[in-house]
Amino acid sequence: MAADSMVQLVSYLTAQQPYEIVGTPESEWVDFKSVPPQGPYDLSTDRGKFELAKDVAAFSNAGGGLLVCGFKAKKKQTELHEVAEKVTPFDKRLVDSTKYKDIITEYVRPLLKVKFFWYDHPEDDLEASGHYFVIEVPALPEADRWAVVTRGITDDGQFIKNSWTVPIRNGDTTVFLPQDEVYRLLNDGLRARRGTKPAMSARAADRPGAREALRAALGMAETPVLFFQSVPDHPRGLLPGMYADGGLRDVLSNQDTLRNADAFNWASQHTRPEPREGGLLLTMSARGGLLIDADGGVTGAAAATPDMLGWAMEYYSGDGARRISVFVLTEITLEYFRLVDLQVMPLVDSTWTHRIVASDFTQAPARILAPGDDPAFPRRGAPQPATSNDWNHSWQALGDPERDAYQALRHIYALFGLDVTTNPFTDEGRVITARLQERRQ
């Protein structure tokens, strides 16, 4: 027997009939992985990380597919492709799906909504036991192609910094987009852009109108504000179920926050989200608020005042300047991406752009930030003043709240001439949620 489609292959695994899959050839939609002692991919090595990223990107460029772990494939002389010839189920402890997700998030662009599934081998089989691990890779929309692995690799299995590759599934193998083809695509893109409107530039995801509308609704026209903004790169029109039971309005009303609504997050005990031009507006008194556009785009505003970002910092500001609390800045930033990455982005099938805008931070009294922790704790260095009144930077959303929060803080710290690594709640490219929770136990 053999599976002739992704649906049939998954149905065999669901029904605990893995032997029906034996004889299935590898193709544009399926690749089989046997399982050595380190697991299907050895993520302790650069080569293992590259192989995982390469396989995922290649399938996304070829219309989607399945990476099926737990089958040995072999090419016979009479066959054109490798064929699943043996079941090799394995222990679940050999795969940490969180690490798999982190590798894909870090090394594949754009962000892909990869799914992971476990399937059981029949318990009454005396010849084999264990489980099968399947990675389902979605097809990348034509408008978003091509998926890129953000690292190349040497012959001895080491990452090459400042390099990238474009893998493509070709039958049962993976090849890489030739340099000449990359050159042609880049030039085609440049030619296509000539004569287009400025709105089609890299800042197309910027929505200054939403920021101004939110600022006006909050009565913060003269207040320094830190804006967070998240916009789908390819909006799909009205977001379905905005006001339905369990929809986005209910999500905003019952947020899953790290601490209660009096902490530094985007929840409110006193107001509910209100309908606004097909979207939602949630105000949080003098602290800030959220505006959800009809297509799911999100704008958040946090006041750079003692009510929010400068909470309990007046005593340490000096010379009339307003000091920003490192703890508050980090918590409100992480809470924004916990809300947007986990609750809003999955509702729109698109890549997304995140953005931070620090507005009026140099107006007197200037906003200042210091490396290290807040003054009540050991700290390093002197406070640094903001260097711009219109600090506007963006990045492609990673979909991981801790990583996106780190990217936001990296840009915010640069506004003050500081490196984000001086923030004690960050490490290895992410905000560490546990450190925030430990500080406020």
Side-chain angles (χ1 to χ4, degrees), residues 9 18 21-27 30-36 59 66-77 79-89 132 169 171-173:
L9 188 148
I21 297 171
V22 173
T24 301
E26 293 186 334
S27 64
V30 65
D31 190 22
F32 295 105
K33 298 289 181 182
S34 57
V35 184
F59 269 129
L66 302 175
L67 292 166
V68 183
C69 307
F71 288 84
K72 181 180 178 181
K74 186 176 181 180
K75 185 175 181 179
K76 298 180 180 179
Q77 292 182 347
E79 295 167 339
L80 295 175
H81 305 297
E82 289 193 356
V83 174
E85 67 166 8
K86 183 180 180 181
V87 299
T88 58
Y132 302 93
R169 189 75 179 172
D172 65 336
T173 62

Side-chain angles (χ1 to χ4, degrees), residues 140-342:
L140 195 62
E142 187 68 31
D144 295 333
R145 290 185 183 173
W146 296 82
V148 175
V149 178
T150 62
R151 291 288 189 278
I153 198 162
T154 63
D155 291 339
D156 59 356
Q158 301 298 311
F159 275 144
I160 304 172
K161 292 184 178 180
N162 302 318
S163 66
W164 49 270
T165 58
V166 182
I168 304 172
R169 189 75 179 172
N170 182 22
D172 65 336
T173 62
T174 296
V175 297
F176 297 94
L177 200 65
Q179 293 178 349
D180 289 346
E181 180 67 6
V182 173
Y183 177 80
R184 184 188 66 78
L185 290 171
L186 287 172
N187 278 277
D188 285 349
L190 290 172
R191 282 191 291 270
R193 260 189 255 171
R194 292 192 184 111
T196 57
K197 298 179 181 179
M200 296 301 292
S201 69
R203 293 174 64 87
D206 195 1
R207 295 187 180 181
R211 295 195 295 272
E212 292 308 310
L214 179 56
R215 197 168 197 167
L218 297 173
M220 293 183 176
E222 305 299 325
T223 303
V225 175
L226 179 62
F227 289 102
F228 299 85
Q229 200 160 50
S230 304
V231 177
D233 297 329
H234 305 287
R236 311 297 184 189
L238 289 174
L239 187 72
M242 178 84 74
Y243 309 119
D245 290 343
L248 198 51
R249 179 165 55 183
D250 285 352
V251 169
L252 293 183
S253 300
N254 303 282
Q255 293 182 40
D256 177 21
T257 56
L258 297 173
R259 299 191 292 144
N260 60 40
D262 290 327
F264 305 103
N265 50 53
W266 303 88
S268 174
Q269 292 182 330
H270 310 292
T271 59
R272 288 181 55 81
E274 304 171 357
R276 187 183 188 280
E277 299 180 3
L280 292 165
L281 172 67
L282 176 63
T283 60
M284 304 182 302
S285 186
R287 287 186 162 196
L290 284 170
L291 178 63
I292 313 294
D293 290 334
D295 63 2
V298 182
T299 303
T305 66
D307 292 305
M308 179 61 94
L309 297 181
W311 183 265
M313 291 290 105
E314 301 98 320
Y315 178 78
Y316 301 100
S317 291
D319 301 326
R322 298 287 188 181
R323 183 170 180 143
I324 292 176
S325 165
V326 173
F327 175 82
V328 174
L329 174 64
T330 307
E331 183 175 34
I332 194 66
T333 299
L334 178 60
E335 288 283 30
Y336 175 85
F337 292 105
R338 291 181 73 248
L339 174 63
V340 175
D341 284 7
L342 302 181

